[in-house]
Amino acid sequence: MADVFTWAPTVANASGNATLRTRTAQFGDGYAQKAADGINGRSSTFSLQFIGDAAKITAILAFLDAHAGATSFLWTPPLREQLLFTCEAYTEPTKDGNVYTMTATFNQSFAIS
């Protein structure tokens, strides 16, 4: 079973994108026919921001480093069910007083690796 990412991102500066994969057959008269591509034709990517004290941000960094960008983990995006993701890129934390800020990019995956 995959580990679960439990930390909540901030609402500000968080965004997500969904990509729907299709195949297109282009015909000579300008007509095109499209069809969904595969059983996992929809994939999501989220850019997330986390703000917190040193303990919270250190725990997030440890979780992401332990998964090394290659091992999938479970996370629940807004208005969706729990899905598998990997995180291959995140920013190093910045400090403002006793508060740290970092961002991470979560890419949906379809198999536990």
Side-chain angles (χ1 to χ4, degrees):
M1 187 67 179
D3 294 334
V4 179
F5 187 88
T6 57
W7 298 273
T10 61
V11 175
N13 300 319
S15 64
N17 292 307
T19 302
L20 302 172
R21 225 176 36 246
T22 60
R23 290 183 173 244
T24 302
Q26 186 69 46
F27 299 98
D29 61 356
Y31 176 77
Q33 185 176 16
K34 290 189 177 237
D37 184 20
I39 60 171
N40 295 315
R42 180 190 182 284
S43 62
S44 297
T45 301
F46 291 88
S47 178
L48 305 172
Q49 181 181 62
F50 300 93
I51 299 174
D53 61 13
K56 175 182 175 180
I57 300 302
T58 299
I60 292 171
L61 292 172
F63 182 94
L64 297 177
D65 286 345
H67 290 80
T71 304
S72 300
F73 54 86
L74 292 165
W75 178 65
T76 306
L79 301 177
R80 299 281 181 190
E81 71 276 0
Q82 194 174 57
L83 300 169
L84 286 169
F85 288 89
T86 58
C87 178
E88 296 179 34
Y90 62 81
T91 63
E92 293 294 337
T94 58
K95 183 178 180 184
D96 184 14
N98 291 330
V99 178
Y100 294 83
T101 302
M102 66 169 290
T103 61
T105 302
F106 286 11
N107 299 302
Q108 186 177 0
S109 61
F110 298 97
I112 297 174
S113 49

